[in-house]
Every structure is written in structure tokens, then in C-alpha cells.
Amino acid sequence: MYSALPPLPPLKDEAPGVAVVLIQCCEWLRCCGAGEPRPRTVWLGHPEKRDQRYPRNVINNQKYNFFTFLPGVLFNQFKYFFNLYFLLLACSQFVPEMRLGALYTYWVPLGFVLAVTIIREAVEEIRCYLRDKEVNSQVYSRLTARGTVKVKSCSIQVGDLIIVEKNQRVPADMIFLRTSEKNGSCFLRTDQLDGETDWKLRLPVACTQRLPTAADLLQIRSYVYAEEPNIDIHNFVGTFTREDSDPPISESLSIENTLWAGTVIASGTVVGVVLYTGRELRSVMNTSNPRSKIGLFDLEVNCLTKILFGALVVVSLVMVALQHFAGRWYLQIIRFLLLFSNIIPISLRVNLDMGKIVYSWVIRRDSKIPGTVVRSSTIPEQLGRISYLLTDKTGTLTQNEMVFKRLHLGTVAYGLDSMDEVQSHIFSIYTQQPQDPPAQKGPALTTKVRRTMSSRVHEAVKAIALCHNVTPVYESNGVTDQAEAEKQYEDSCRVYQASSPDEVALVQWTESVGLTLVGRDQSSMQLRTPGDQILNFTILQIFPFTYESKRMGIIVRDESTGEITFYMKGADVVMAGIVQYNDWLEEECGNMAREGLRVLVVAKKSLAEEQYQDFEARYVQAKLSVHDRSLKVATVIESLEMEMELLCLTGVEDQLQADVRPTLETLRNAGIKVWMLTGDKLETATCTAKNAHLVTRNQDIHIFRLVTNRGEAHLELNAFRRKHDCALVISGDSLEVCLKYYEYEFMELACQCPAVVCCRCAPTQKAQIVRLLQERTGKLTCAVGRAARRSRLRRAGFVLPVVVFSPRYSTIYTMFPVFSLVLDKDVKSEVAMLYPELYKDLLKGRPLSYKTFLIWVLISIYQGSTIMYGALLLFESEFVHIVAISFTSLILTELLMVALTIQTWHWLMTVAELLSLACYIASLVFLHEFIDVYFIATLSFLWKVSVITLVSCLPLYVLKYLRRRFSPPSYSKLTS
């Protein structure tokens, strides 16, 4: 039956052989792909009938491949001066005129450092490879002419019909064709795609959902026309066409018909046709290429290395100048550089890399943050330098569990304490109306008033019960059982599924007052009244909520009366221009928002049959448009959104997380500024910020008024500039204007605020704020997390002693004590959490500031001079004795200085000190050519080494004591 299909048109300006080479080359080199992305026509179940070549459905999050691993790792290491210096130093020893010792003394330490780095990178790459392999090897069912066959995710092609079970990951970007759910829809969990915990409702193509079985998908002649691949995960434009029907069927496809890769099916079993694979997946296109990360601490060490190298150059020039630049002076400069090169110790590189591995391991095993996964072991110390924490409101500061709090009808409002009145009104409408019809003569005035109020309440509750995307699901013993339970609409078996907890809260509330949603599918809805009567409604159209429209609507037909009604609910900013004139909407919305409630405006409009038929024809035509579809559809819908009857306001409250207040208090005391970015209205966001103690009770709040142009923004920024120590609350619209004209000035002022709240903020604006904050301040930012203090302090602790004691043999003799500093604690964990102010020292960068570094350099000069001149002063008869005295004094001095640096002793530190000393003593057997072993055993050697070591270390111990006595560090009082 497919032989009659017209041949696909040839691709213009494309040589097939060249295209294959380009695609294979780009996949190997991780390039963007061959040619510009184009729209595509995909035939259902026939991947061979494709109009272009598509990438393999392979997920690859690795930084390197087999061929680029070693060159890539080496390049990422040697592109920084710190590592390049040691490479050049080792390479210089191949030149005879520059050689100062055996090659192994340079290449063995460098090789060890590189081996540690390569092994660490290899382990991370292997872990990443295994994760990718697990994803790429997941098995799915594919519909074929021969039946259902198993296929791996990596073998899925564009055009395949794939079956995805409940709780299974969607393997590729697909169009939703069929579902096993009776209601004709399914829900997705999209947290791995967009970070949102809300479920998303998806609808299958109506034409394919009506087919008797899934196998019939292969018996029809149909295709999908889809837009070119892009990064927009919230929108999609396409059409579905079935050619073998009379007349041909065409349906528009939008985001609600898609199943993006990386999402998880939350209900039922679905069948979809694959549209995009591999690097053309939405999730892949929204992911930046993996890169080698380097922490701020490493960059600071790299900078200090350049300073030390500069000092080496100066010293070498001075030494050559003292010889009046005689002979081959340029070669002498290089030899002096090599001679003094030990000032920059390669053991520092070893300890840094080993420390990162230890900190990553400790973070993974921290019982207070269970389940933590360290994706990169190269930047654990970054946790100690966070200056800004940016957080969403819903699901982060709050629990994302909504509770219905208020129903406002304009003249009367019902709270939690008066919901029984609402229930009474609903009960009277459905139980007393037949006995007391409106046409009854002589009703009392109070009865008329009550009947009017009951009707208003009923219309509001009915609108709330119908205007949503909630689906009731009936479960028995935890297993979905749509057979018996749904027949009786058993309340005990019913749970509500929805893409928003707001809608679930609203439907649960209507159930509590007597109007219960008991059934729903793609085309109908059933409500149960207090008198157990079932009301049937046909769903004619649904207009889903979007961030742009800030509203959702539904058109239903009451099967008992035939009435067609258009219901809509949305944010007050958009609904104010849609509903009929009133004098209470704006004021009451503000009042409810100031109570911390999320407000929705509910309205309705009755439609005549002819009016709806005219709308439907225009709406279907607009949805089939390929170009400017969104604009055309919005224009048609807006033709209905005029002079709607305002029914009510609803207010729901999102409960705060249990520990959000003490957490924000801790962050504030630690010097970390918190910015809240939310889509809620200004009053709601402000109230939540106060309740969560993001803004303290005694702190002023500057509410940035709405600005629409450059002049207004300039005036408001000047007004804000005059405020001091004031939290800022600004809307997304005003923020956009400020960033357009006064980006630098606004960011400068905002960064001075103790807290910032951005409300009515779109997802794209949130990303823009994070990027600007990083660029303008140069500070580290974090989305959500628990700050760690100790990592950076420990690393600074073991970097500085290694910088001071530079000879290369410290890689062996003193590596263990220096490395044991990773176990050091300035304060206990409990004290650090109790006094978060200690974190401020890390934000100032004092543990490795230029001042601290200069002090340690001066210490090294003093101790180096003491050891060298002390050995010369106590010189006896042979030069080898000077070597023994200075060498031993240096080892003892470094071990003592490590002990001086330690704040809290650990038993492993003691073992490390003794082990290093034992290594040195044991190695004397092999150093008999350089050290007189018999001289070491004499009393003369012992007292000379003791005197030199004492003079070298005692003054520093005295200074440390005096400093702790008269100028103690901030944490010393907490440890005493």
C-alpha cells in the first residue's frame, strides 16, 4: 500500500557523500552538526522515508573521547601557568648546559602529579560514560509491521513508533499518539528537564487516539510535519495529517502533544512517534557542552605562582648583575632560575589534587546531606566562597502544597471559618430547588436574597469545578483500577492528578463544599452534586495556561441544558482587562495578596451555538497555520475574551518549608545574600519574603514602582539610591526596563541590598538575572544549597606551608604531614552551624590573601636564612656536614611548622608526622654519598641541628602565642 507514495524531493545544494562525512566528523568532534536545522516530515512507523539525515539517538555527556582524552587532559593542565612552569622546568633538563641534576628528580614528581590528575579525570569520565551507557542502553518496545520488538534507546530513529511505560523515561523527542488511560491524557514528570516539580498534562493526537488498537497506527497513511529543532521546551509548532481518510484529516500539534526526552511518564502507557534524536533533542540543545572546571582557589594559587616566578626572575637578574653580566650571562640567568625553582614546590600540586579527592569523598559521605552526588571533584572548595544564593519561591521556600483559604465574591468573602456557609448554599441549590422553584408565588424577601446569594455562590463554585486541567484517578490498593471503582466514583479510591497544585487545591475545595469532580476524559467531565446527581459536561475547547498568557480557559456544554459556557481564570493583571467593569477587583486582589495568598480571578461568558461554531471554525484554521501560529491563535481566542462576567476571586496559600526561616537566618548571618525570583504577584511575593524572614521585621522594603520607559526608570533609580540597608522588591516588567537602559546602575544598587525579591518573573528573566549577577560582581552564586565552610580553610592551611618549604624532596619527606591538614578543624561542625558569622572570613578571602601570602614568604626567607647561615656558622671540617645539618634542620623545621599550623589535632596527623620523620631516617641509608651517616650519630650534630631548628621555629611560636593572646581570630573564643 505504500508503493504509491510520491518520492521525496531531493535535497538541494547537498552532496550526499559530503553530508555523511560532515555529520560523522561533527559527531566525532562534538560540533554543532551539518548544515542549518530544517523542518521535517516524519511518516509514522517508517524511519526509512526520511527527507534528511538525522543524528543517532546517543546521549554523550563526556568531556573527552578515546582519542582526545590524553591530549585534552594535558592541555587543560598546562594551559595554566602553575602547571606549565613545572613542564618547562622538567623539559629544560634535556639541555646539557641547563642540567642541574638527574632527570628523574624533575620528571618523577611531575609524572606523579600528572598521573594523579589523569587518574582522577579518567575515573570521572568512566563514571560519566557508565551513566550515559545506562541511559543509551535502556530497552523500549517499538511497533513494527512484524509486531512489537525490543530496541535500545541508542538505536531509536526518527519515525519509529515507541511504547513508553509508566515511570519510564522518554527516550527521544516524540509526538504523543496514544495512551492507555481512559481519560485520554497522561501526565509527565519534567523535573529533570526544566527543574519544576509540577506534573505536566499531555494530550494525544485525537485522530490516532480514536484508533481501536496501537497496531492500527501502522495501517494508516499519516505523517507529522514538525518545525526545525530548537531550544524552546515550552513551545512547539507542527501538524498531523492522515491522507487515507476521506476527506484527509489535519490536526494542529502544540506543546501539549509532545513528549520531550528526559521526562518521565507518570500515568498510563503511551505510544509516540519520534521527531528528534541525539544532539537535536530539546534537552541536549539546552545543555552546554561539558567542560573542564577550575575553582577560584586554583586560580588564586596560579596567580601567586606568577608572583613567585616574577620574584625568581628578579633574584636571578640581581645575581647575574653582581657578576657584571660577564660571559654568557643569559645562560646564567636561566641557570639561576632553575637553581631557585624549588621556591615554587611541585608538592603543592600533589596536595591540591589529593585534597580535592578527599573533600569530594567527605561530601558524599556526609550524613547530614544524604544522597549528595559530587559531579565534579575539581571544585569542592567553591562551597566556601558563595556570596549570592538565588532561590525560587514555590517548592523551595515553600512546600508547593496549596491550601484553599479564601473565596471572594465582591460583596462577601468566605474564609476557612465560614466554608460551611458556602456548603449550605450549594446544598440548597441542588436539594431544595425542586421543592421551592423560582416561580413559586409569595416567597419571603429573605428567601429571595438567599436564593440570589446561593446562585452567585453556585456559579462561582461551578466555574472553579470546571475550569481546570485536573483528572480524577481511581486507585485500589495502590494499583490503578478503572473498572469497578470508577463505576461507583468511590471517594476513598479517588486521587487528583494535575500539572499544578493550585488546581488540585481548588478542585479539592469544591469537593469539600459539595460539588465533586468524579470523572474526566479528553472530551467530557462529570460532577457530582450533594444529592448524588451526576452532571455531564462536554469539553469543547481547552486553552492551557502559559507563562505568556498568565491564564487558562475552557469551553463546555452542559448536556442537560445544552448551554455553552466559556470559563476563564487567571492573574489579575490580565483578567482586569477581560472582565466587565467593576470597582472592587484591584483592591481586593491587593488585600488578599498582602495576606500571602496566590490570587486567581474567575470569570465566565455564555455563548450561543452560532457564536461558538463561528469561533471554532476560525480557531481550527488558526491552529493549522505553520507560520505565526501562536499570534493567530491568540488573536482568535481574544475575540472571545471580552466583557466576561466576573464571578469571584480565589485565594490559595503555599505552606512554608519547615526549616526555611532558620536556614535563611543562617545564610544572612553568614554574609550570603539571598535573592528570591518568583512568578507570583508583588504583594504575594512580599508577604512570603516577610513570613520566611528573607526580609527581617525591622528592615525597610523599597517597592520599585512600575516603570515603562527610560525617564521613569531614571527617576525611580534615583529614589532607590537614597535608601540605605533596604530590601528591594521589583516586578519583572520594571526589571526589564531597568536592565535595558541602566543595567550597570541597577545591578550596582541591587547588589548593595541585603535581600532582593523579583516578582512576576518569567523563566528567561531568572536565567538572565543569574548571568548578570555573575558577570557584574565576579562573585560565586548558587541556586540552592547548604554552604560548606571547612573545605576552603583546610586547603589554605596546607597550601601555605608547602609554599614556604619549597625543596622538591618535600614531595616525599613532608607530603604526609602537609596532606594531613585536610583533617584540620578550626571549629567543630556544630559550632560552625551555630555561628554562621564565621563564614564571612571566607568571603573576604583572608586565608589566602596577598597579605597572608607575603607574611608566609617573609617567614620562609627568615627560616631559610637561619638554616643556611646557621649551618655555615657551625661549619666544621667537611662540606658534607653542612648538607647533613641544613638538610635535617629543614625537615624538622617543616614538620614543626605543620604542627604550628594545625588548629585541632587528629591522630592521623601524629602518625603522618612520625611517618615522615621515619622516612627521612630510613632514607639516610641510601644518601651516604651526600650525608656522613657517622657524623649524624655524634652529639655535635644533634646540638647543632637542635639550635638551628630552635632559632628557626621558636620566634614564630612566640609570635603565634602573642597574636592569639592580644589579637585572636574570630573563632578562638568559640573553641576555648
Side-chain angles (χ1 to χ4, degrees):
M1 64 177 289
Y2 295 102
S3 58
L5 289 176
L8 295 174
L11 302 180
K12 296 182 179 180
D13 301 326
E14 180 178 321
V18 174
V20 174
V21 173
L22 280 176
I23 292 175
Q24 290 177 346
C25 176
C26 286
E27 286 186 347
W28 186 69
L29 294 177
R30 305 181 61 87
C31 295
C32 58
E36 292 294 325
R38 295 175 297 169
R40 61 193 56 185
T41 299
V42 179
W43 292 88
L44 268 62
H46 294 277
E48 71 278 1
K49 298 178 180 178
R50 50 189 180 186
D51 54 1
Q52 53 185 295
R53 298 184 182 277
Y54 306 115
R56 290 186 62 210
N57 193 43
V58 176
I59 302 298
N60 186 358
N61 293 305
Q62 296 172 248
K63 291 182 288 187
Y64 316 102
N65 59 35
F66 179 80
F67 299 100
T68 62
F69 174 73
L70 192 58
V73 172
L74 294 178
F75 172 77
N76 285 323
Q77 288 298 305
F78 294 129
K79 70 180 180 181
Y80 298 104
F81 179 81
F82 183 83
N83 297 320
L84 182 62
Y85 170 79
F86 295 118
L87 177 64
L88 296 176
L89 187 67
C91 290
S92 68
Q93 298 306 292
F94 288 112
V95 180
E97 295 177 321
M98 298 181 184
R99 183 175 299 174
L100 296 179
L103 283 176
Y104 72 86
T105 61
Y106 290 86
W107 282 100
V108 169
L110 180 61
F112 178 76
V113 170
L114 292 178
V116 171
T117 302
I118 291 172
I119 291 173
R120 188 192 68 224
E121 290 286 340
V123 169
E124 292 190 0
E125 282 294 287
I126 291 173
R127 287 175 179 169
C128 187
Y129 167 77
L130 293 176
R131 288 195 298 266
D132 291 342
K133 184 179 179 181
E134 181 182 0
V135 173
N136 294 326
S137 300
Q138 288 183 354
V139 177
Y140 296 85
S141 298
R142 178 170 62 190
L143 283 177
T144 68
R146 301 185 305 274
T148 303
V149 298
K150 298 297 183 180
V151 60
K152 290 184 177 180
S153 176
C154 59
S155 300
I156 291 175
Q157 302 180 54
V158 172
D160 283 346
L161 295 175
I162 303 298
I163 301 173
V164 187
E165 306 286 343
K166 182 179 180 180
N167 294 325
Q168 198 172 21
R169 170 188 169 273
V170 178
D173 288 351
M174 304 193 300
I175 290 298
F176 184 14
L177 299 177
R178 287 182 58 82
T179 177
S180 63
E181 294 288 277
K182 185 179 178 181
N183 56 34
S185 63
C186 85
F187 284 94
L188 296 178
R189 295 196 294 269
T190 64
D191 51 324
Q192 295 299 315
L193 180 66
D194 56 16
E196 297 182 4
T197 57
D198 297 341
W199 289 6
K200 303 294 190 299
L201 178 69
R202 291 295 182 261
L203 302 175
V205 177
C207 173
T208 53
Q209 178 65 20
R210 288 194 295 265
L211 295 175
T213 65
D216 293 325
L217 291 169
L218 291 167
Q219 305 304 317
I220 63 174
R221 180 186 171 97
S222 58
Y223 63 86
V224 171
Y225 178 80
E227 63 183 356
E228 69 278 0
N230 60 70
I231 64 173
D232 191 351
I233 63 174
H234 300 294
N235 293 287
F236 174 75
V237 175
T239 57
F240 173 86
T241 302
R242 179 176 179 179
E243 290 188 339
D244 60 348
S245 63
D246 189 20
I249 298 174
S250 290
E251 292 188 36
S252 66
L253 302 176
S254 64
I255 185 63
E256 64 184 9
N257 305 116
T258 60
L259 304 171
W260 295 144
T263 59
V264 177
I265 302 299
S267 61
T269 299
V270 305
V271 181
V273 59
V274 177
L275 286 187
Y276 311 111
T277 54
R279 62 175 178 272
E280 294 180 343
L281 297 175
R282 290 293 207 271
S283 56
V284 173
M285 297 181 76
N286 277 278
T287 304
S288 58
N289 290 331
R291 57 187 178 86
S292 180
K293 299 179 178 66
I294 184 170
L296 181 60
F297 192 89
D298 290 318
L299 293 176
E300 292 171 342
V301 171
N302 192 63
C303 183
L304 294 177
T305 302
K306 294 177 182 178
I307 294 175
L308 283 176
F309 180 75
L312 286 180
V313 173
V314 172
V315 172
S316 300
L317 288 174
V318 170
M319 298 299 291
V320 173
L322 292 176
Q323 298 178 5
H324 306 290
F325 295 95
R328 302 167 66 182
W329 58 269
Y330 53 87
L331 187 59
Q332 292 297 321
I333 292 177
I334 297 177
R335 290 181 65 86
F336 277 119
L337 283 174
L338 296 173
L339 187 64
F340 297 140
S341 62
N342 294 329
I343 291 177
I344 306 176
I346 197 170
S347 58
L348 174 58
R349 178 75 269 169
V350 177
N351 285 307
L352 286 175
D353 286 345
M354 297 298 291
K356 291 176 181 180
I357 295 173
V358 171
Y359 295 137
S360 300
W361 181 80
V362 171
I363 291 173
R364 283 196 297 266
R365 293 180 59 85
D366 193 336
S367 59
K368 295 182 179 179
I369 46 175
T372 303
V373 178
V374 179
R375 297 293 185 189
S376 175
S377 63
T378 58
I379 52 173
E381 76 283 359
Q382 298 285 74
L383 294 174
R385 297 292 290 274
I386 295 170
S387 298
Y388 292 92
L389 188 142
L390 298 103
T391 174
D392 196 2
K393 181 181 79 70
T394 305
T396 306
L397 299 182
T398 61
Q399 300 178 22
N400 202 21
E401 295 179 2
M402 305 298 177
V403 178
F404 191 94
K405 291 282 188 173
R406 186 74 54 84
L407 177 70
H408 206 298
L409 301 177
T411 56
V412 62
Y414 298 96
L416 290 177
D417 56 347
S418 55
M419 290 303 174
D420 55 336
E421 295 184 31
V422 178
Q423 189 175 21
S424 175
H425 286 305
I426 299 298
F427 184 82
S428 67
I429 286 290
Y430 287 106
T431 59
Q432 299 177 13
Q433 188 169 1
Q435 303 170 3
D436 187 16
Q440 185 179 2
K441 297 181 180 180
L445 180 62
T446 55
T447 304
K448 288 184 177 180
V449 173
R450 178 170 178 80
R451 179 69 62 200
T452 302
M453 181 54 64
S454 295
S455 298
R456 291 183 60 192
V457 172
H458 168 246
E459 283 300 322
V461 175
K462 181 180 175 182
I464 297 171
L466 290 171
C467 189
H468 53 71
N469 257 321
V470 180
T471 302
V473 175
Y474 293 85
E475 298 181 350
S476 178
N477 297 325
V479 180
T480 302
D481 184 4
Q482 292 288 91
E484 296 298 326
E486 191 171 353
K487 288 180 181 178
Q488 304 298 325
Y489 296 131
E490 295 181 6
D491 293 343
S492 60
C493 300
R494 183 175 55 251
V495 294
Y496 293 116
Q497 290 182 342
S499 58
S500 169
D502 299 58
E503 294 201 316
V504 173
L506 293 175
V507 173
Q508 287 176 337
W509 174 77
T510 63
E511 178 183 357
S512 69
V513 296
L515 206 54
T516 305
L517 175 68
V518 293
R520 184 190 184 132
D521 56 28
Q522 202 169 347
S523 59
S524 66
M525 198 182 314
Q526 293 79 39
L527 301 181
R528 187 175 63 198
T529 69
D532 283 335
Q533 178 187 1
I534 301 298
L535 305 178
N536 292 288
F537 297 86
T538 299
I539 301 174
L540 300 177
Q541 300 290 345
I542 295 181
F543 314 118
F545 172 87
T546 65
Y547 287 107
E548 293 76 20
S549 67
K550 295 182 175 63
R551 59 189 182 273
M552 73 86 57
I554 187 171
I555 301 178
V556 298
R557 176 188 280 116
D558 190 334
E559 290 301 308
S560 62
T561 63
E563 295 179 353
I564 299 177
T565 308
F566 173 33
Y567 292 105
M568 177 167 283
K569 66 181 179 186
D572 60 307
V573 290
V574 294
M575 295 297 290
I578 293 175
V579 299
Q580 297 170 348
Y581 173 78
N582 62 86
D583 57 1
W584 60 272
L585 175 61
E586 182 178 357
E587 179 181 358
E588 296 302 334
C589 282
N591 292 336
M592 293 172 67
R594 277 185 283 274
E595 297 178 30
L597 303 180
R598 182 177 291 182
V599 184
L600 284 176
V601 181
V602 183
K604 79 164 189 174
K605 184 176 187 178
S606 297
L607 302 177
E609 183 68 34
E610 298 78 9
Q611 186 180 6
Y612 172 72
Q613 294 297 335
D614 175 67
F615 164 80
E616 184 182 36
R618 292 184 290 115
Y619 183 63
V620 171
Q621 188 66 31
K623 287 178 68 178
L624 290 175
S625 301
V626 175
H627 302 290
D628 299 326
R629 176 188 292 180
S630 299
L631 179 61
K632 293 177 181 178
V633 169
T635 302
V636 175
I637 297 176
E638 286 173 3
S639 66
L640 283 185
E641 299 175 340
M642 295 184 298
E643 294 296 310
M644 297 188 70
E645 178 187 351
L646 175 59
L647 295 178
C648 65
L649 306 180
T650 64
V652 296
E653 184 180 42
D654 195 354
Q655 306 297 303
L656 289 175
Q657 296 281 7
D659 58 349
V660 68
R661 290 173 178 169
T663 299
L664 290 178
E665 184 74 20
T666 299
L667 293 172
R668 182 165 50 249
N669 292 336
I672 300 175
K673 295 183 178 181
V674 181
W675 290 27
M676 184 176 79
L677 315 176
T678 177
D680 283 339
K681 66 188 282 86
L682 185 143
E683 293 85 356
T684 305
T686 304
C687 183
T688 302
K690 290 180 178 178
N691 290 340
H693 293 179
L694 175 63
V695 179
T696 59
R697 296 292 182 187
N698 56 355
Q699 204 168 56
D700 291 334
I701 299 178
H702 178 81
I703 298 179
F704 206 94
R705 71 180 182 87
L706 184 64
V707 297
T708 57
N709 54 55
R710 183 169 187 164
E712 293 178 352
H714 180 76
L715 293 175
E716 189 63 17
L717 283 172
N718 284 339
F720 179 42
R721 193 185 302 273
R722 291 190 287 269
K723 300 289 184 70
H724 299 284
D725 192 32
C726 181
L728 172 65
V729 179
I730 185 171
S731 67
D733 294 336
S734 299
L735 177 66
E736 188 173 356
V737 175
C738 290
L739 294 180
K740 181 178 180 180
Y741 297 110
Y742 298 104
E743 179 182 299
Y744 177 80
E745 292 82 356
F746 174 79
M747 293 302 297
E748 182 184 22
L749 292 173
C751 290
Q752 297 173 5
C753 296
V756 176
V757 176
C758 299
C759 57
R760 292 297 190 205
C761 212
T764 53
Q765 282 183 311
K766 295 178 182 180
Q768 182 186 17
I769 293 170
V770 176
R771 178 181 56 80
L772 286 175
L773 196 57
Q774 292 173 329
E775 292 177 353
R776 291 298 181 187
T777 65
K779 301 291 183 63
L780 288 179
T781 60
C782 177
V784 172
R786 170 189 172 192
R789 166 183 170 81
R790 190 157 297 134
S791 174
R792 177 165 171 85
L793 276 178
R794 290 176 179 170
R795 293 192 66 194
F798 72 69
V799 165
L800 292 172
V802 176
V803 172
V804 172
F805 303 103
S806 57
R808 186 169 291 103
Y809 56 79
S810 63
T811 305
I812 300 175
Y813 295 140
T814 59
M815 184 183 74
F816 299 115
V818 173
F819 181 67
S820 69
L821 288 175
V822 299
L823 303 171
D824 194 14
K825 298 181 180 180
D826 53 348
V827 294
K828 295 181 179 180
S829 300
E830 297 77 11
V831 175
M833 295 302 296
L834 188 61
Y835 298 96
E837 292 84 359
L838 297 172
Y839 189 86
K840 295 180 181 179
D841 291 339
L842 299 182
L843 296 180
K844 297 174 183 177
R846 288 176 179 172
L848 196 58
S849 64
Y850 289 113
K851 176 183 176 182
T852 306
F853 177 72
L854 179 61
I855 291 174
W856 279 94
V857 169
L858 294 176
I859 291 174
S860 68
I861 294 174
Y862 164 74
Q863 291 185 323
S865 302
T866 301
I867 293 171
M868 290 304 299
Y869 286 107
L872 291 173
L873 183 64
L874 301 177
F875 175 69
E876 290 196 356
S877 57
E878 298 183 21
F879 181 77
V880 72
H881 292 171
I882 296 180
V883 175
I885 293 173
S886 60
F887 203 80
T888 306
S889 299
L890 184 57
I891 295 295
L892 294 176
T893 297
E894 182 161 357
L895 294 177
L896 288 173
M897 290 304 295
V898 168
L900 175 66
T901 307
I902 293 173
Q903 303 289 342
T904 305
W905 279 88
H906 189 280
W907 66 270
L908 285 176
M909 296 176 176
T910 306
V911 171
E913 294 264 324
L914 297 176
L915 181 61
S916 292
L917 185 60
C919 286
Y920 171 62
I921 295 173
S923 65
L924 294 179
V925 178
F926 307 99
L927 297 176
H928 55 84
E929 295 182 5
F930 306 100
I931 298 178
D932 186 350
V933 180
Y934 297 102
F935 173 68
I936 291 179
T938 63
L939 185 62
S940 175
F941 169 81
L942 293 177
W943 78 262
K944 290 178 179 180
V945 168
S946 300
V947 169
I948 293 175
T949 305
L950 194 63
V951 174
S952 173
C953 297
L954 185 60
L956 298 177
Y957 270 86
V958 173
L959 290 174
K960 178 183 179 180
Y961 171 79
L962 294 176
R963 182 180 180 184
R964 291 183 65 87
R965 179 69 182 273
F966 298 105
S967 181
S970 57
Y971 59 82
S972 60
K973 294 181 180 179
L974 305 178
T975 57
S976 59

